[in-house]
Amino acid sequence: MSRIPTGRLAHRAHTYRGAYLVGFLLIGVAVLRAAISYLGQPPLTAAILLLAAYGLLYSTEPLLSSRFHRYRFLYFPAQLALLLVVTNLRPFLDNTSSLYIPLGVQALHAFPRRAAIAWLIFLAVLLSVTLVVGMTWAEGIGLSLVMMAGGTFLISYDLLYARTQADQAESQALLADLQQAHLELKVHAIQAGELAAARERNRLARELHDSVSQMIFAITLTSQSARLLLERDPARVPEQVNRLEEMTESALGQLRSLIAQLRPPQNP
């Protein structure tokens, strides 16, 4: 019997929908019973008006409580006053006392835990006193116990339904969080792949600078030496040319290797 946060008061009619509809059924039964029992008698008009006022307040409570937080402090005293009047009409109608049950369900959702328990105890006492005063002592106690058992069942169903709805909402929120985490992991994986590719490009650039560029510089020096030897010692020029061919082939091989590493892998 925990309190529903104020921000969710607008959705309370959905959280206890089953118990809320049972309240309308009890109101309808009370109206029908009053119309049959008081037919042709003076209390008929008063009973119908009182029950209609109770039903109007009951049906508008979820909407008004969602808009005005302090409305509950006016609603429950007004409903109790109507119930005390309608249950004290004579001849006594026992079924009008059943309207304490939907009022207890609403109190359970409108107040914090301790206040709600206090309201439920207070309503149970009023129900018992009303039935004992309106009927014999034994009949009043017996019927009040039956009604309190029915109210306990209805409140238990209401709590179970609200807990099920809360668990379902929590599961949906967890699923949304998991989907968001999965999306973030995919984004991180893409970013990690791009970072790895950038690091690989930097590594290849360093290799190109450290190996191929140095080889090309050596080729340049060897070609300049061959030009000088062509004037001073032509017999050694073929040796320099051979070295130029070897260094050129080595440079081409390293370039091919780096180009192969830059190519994206091909799917088989």
Side-chain angles (χ1 to χ4, degrees):
M1 292 186 292
S2 59
R3 180 185 178 186
I4 294 179
T6 305
R8 296 171 55 192
L9 286 174
H11 304 287
R12 290 193 302 116
H14 298 288
T15 60
Y16 64 109
R17 180 167 44 197
Y20 188 69
L21 294 179
V22 171
F24 285 110
L25 178 62
L26 294 176
I27 295 172
V29 171
V31 171
L32 181 61
R33 176 73 180 277
I36 295 174
S37 300
Y38 293 141
L39 184 62
Q41 300 182 34
L44 176 61
T45 302
I48 297 300
L49 290 177
L50 289 171
L51 291 173
Y54 179 94
L56 179 62
L57 290 176
Y58 179 80
S59 61
T60 56
E61 185 271 335
L63 177 63
L64 294 177
S65 292
S66 65
R67 295 186 178 182
F68 308 103
H69 178 56
R70 297 186 179 275
Y71 174 74
R72 56 185 175 170
F73 298 107
L74 299 175
Y75 170 78
F76 287 97
Q79 288 290 64
L80 280 178
L82 290 174
L83 278 180
L84 289 174
V85 174
V86 75
T87 53
N88 280 280
L89 292 176
R90 293 296 182 268
F92 176 74
L93 294 181
D94 54 359
N95 72 306
T96 55
S97 301
S98 64
L99 298 181
Y100 283 103
I101 297 176
L103 199 60
V105 173
Q106 288 182 320
L108 185 68
H109 286 268
F111 295 99
R113 180 188 295 270
R114 293 183 179 179
I117 293 176
W119 268 100
L120 291 177
I121 295 174
F122 179 62
L123 292 175
V125 171
L126 280 182
L127 171 64
S128 301
V129 171
T130 299
L131 291 174
V132 169
V133 172
M135 308 170 67
T136 65
W137 185 87
E139 291 177 346
I141 292 296
L143 185 56
S144 64
L145 291 176
V146 171
M147 286 191 178
M148 282 189 283
T152 302
F153 172 78
L154 188 63
I155 289 173
S156 299
Y157 165 79
D158 171 66
L159 291 175
L160 179 61
Y161 181 81
R163 179 61 181 270
T164 302
Q165 292 293 98
D167 290 343
Q168 183 178 1
E170 185 178 356
S171 298
Q172 292 177 349
L174 180 60
L175 177 60
D177 291 340
L178 289 175
Q179 291 176 342
Q180 181 64 26
H182 177 68
L183 180 61
E184 292 177 357
L185 285 175
K186 289 178 64 177
V187 172
H188 291 327
I190 294 174
Q191 293 176 348
E194 293 176 349
L195 181 60
R199 290 176 177 173
E200 183 65 14
R201 287 193 296 269
N202 292 335
R203 185 185 67 81
L204 293 175
R206 288 194 300 270
E207 289 187 8
L208 180 63
H209 176 270
D210 295 341
S211 59
V212 178
S213 61
Q214 292 180 4
M215 185 67 69
I216 293 175
F217 179 72
I219 291 173
T220 302
L221 291 179
T222 303
S223 62
Q224 292 177 355
S225 298
R227 183 180 299 108
L228 293 175
L229 290 173
L230 185 61
E231 298 176 355
R232 299 178 183 178
D233 190 0
R236 296 180 57 187
V237 171
E239 178 184 354
Q240 297 297 320
V241 172
N242 292 333
R243 289 184 61 190
L244 284 173
E245 291 178 354
E246 292 175 359
M247 288 188 291
T248 302
E249 290 179 0
S250 178
L252 289 174
Q254 292 183 15
L255 283 174
R256 292 191 186 98
S257 176
L258 291 174
I259 292 173
Q261 294 181 45
L262 287 172
R263 290 176 180 173
Q266 297 181 353
N267 296 326

